[in-house]
Amino acid sequence: MTRYRSFVALGDSFTEGLNDPGADGRFRGWADRVAERLAVLEPGFRYANLAVRGKLIDQIVADQVPEAVGMRPDLISFCAGGNDLLRPGSDPDRMAKKVAAAVRDLRATGADVLMFTGVDPRDTPIMRRARGKFATYYLHLRSIADLCGCRMVDMWSMQGLRDWRAWSDDRLHMNEDGHRMVAARVLDVLGVPGDEDWRKVWPPRERVNLSAKSREDAQWLREHFGPWIGRRLRGTSSGDDVMAKRPELTVFDEQAGDPRQL
């Protein structure tokens, strides 16, 4: 088993931890959960999370990648592209070229690099129309991981994430259950023993009332999708005024869930 002494997480809302609330009022998420486990195994373990919701590939590459390179941790997670793919006219081939250059820079530090495919969007009414574009991008990421010697976390194959019980009301961000599953998958990919299995099997659901389902869809359009479209039209992002929750590589206190600066 590889022993990691430091971990830096890069990305957007997925890595920031939306919508998995922690006891301290900040979002927790899969990356914090992985850090907690690694801290148990390695005294003095250090952790930084530079991810900010709403960020695009260009922003992550320009702002977060150089920070991670300078920190020179043992382990770096890099997940980007979800927000780009949701925008009209996005090109998965061009996106992949940007990711490849960033990953090469991260690997040049000697760190192990974690990469991620996204979840299969076939069960999402709007995003499933662009399923081919998503699949093309994720295949590029697998190729980059193979060529650069990265560890790949394949969420496309995680059937438990296809159940809406793993997602929050906005249908874009995982809830606590979803983040727990991803954390378990990451630990499995790293070869680190954990307490949970990512192969979650949900109990059968009651038959859905079509009238209630229509009301839920209308509420989602009004409360979540509508505001998201509005931000796109205004050229704003949910992360415009948000700072990284753990911007420094600090010693992680696994009991308190907070880092302590060196």
Side-chain angles (χ1 to χ4, degrees), residues 103-173:
V103 169
R104 285 194 293 268
D105 289 342
L106 295 173
R107 283 289 289 148
T109 68
D112 278 355
V113 174
L114 274 170
M115 297 180 64
F116 297 76
T117 72
V119 178
D120 187 347
R122 65 180 172 177
D123 302 311
T124 307
I126 294 175
M127 289 190 288
R128 67 185 175 200
R129 298 177 183 176
R131 191 183 183 209
K133 182 167 68 172
F134 280 80
T136 298
Y137 180 62
Y138 298 149
L139 282 172
H140 276 309
L141 297 186
R142 296 189 71 92
S143 297
I144 294 167
D146 286 344
L147 291 169
C148 296
C150 301
R151 297 175 183 265
M152 173 57 71
V153 180
D154 181 10
M155 295 196 296
W156 189 282
S157 68
M158 295 178 66
Q159 296 300 301
L161 293 180
R162 291 185 54 203
D163 193 295
W164 285 117
R165 284 171 285 186
W167 297 80
S168 57
D169 290 341
D170 66 10
R171 304 182 184 180
L172 291 173
H173 300 103

Side-chain angles (χ1 to χ4, degrees), residues 66-78:
E67 290 288 327
V69 169
M71 292 176 181
R72 303 192 72 83
D74 297 329
L75 176 66
I76 301 171
S77 67
F78 181 87

Side-chain angles (χ1 to χ4, degrees), residues 7 29-39 75 182-183 186-187 190:
F7 169 34
W30 68 266
D32 284 18
R33 293 176 180 276
V34 168
E36 289 164 13
R37 181 58 182 163
L38 296 178
L75 176 66
V182 173
V186 170
L187 291 173
L190 294 176

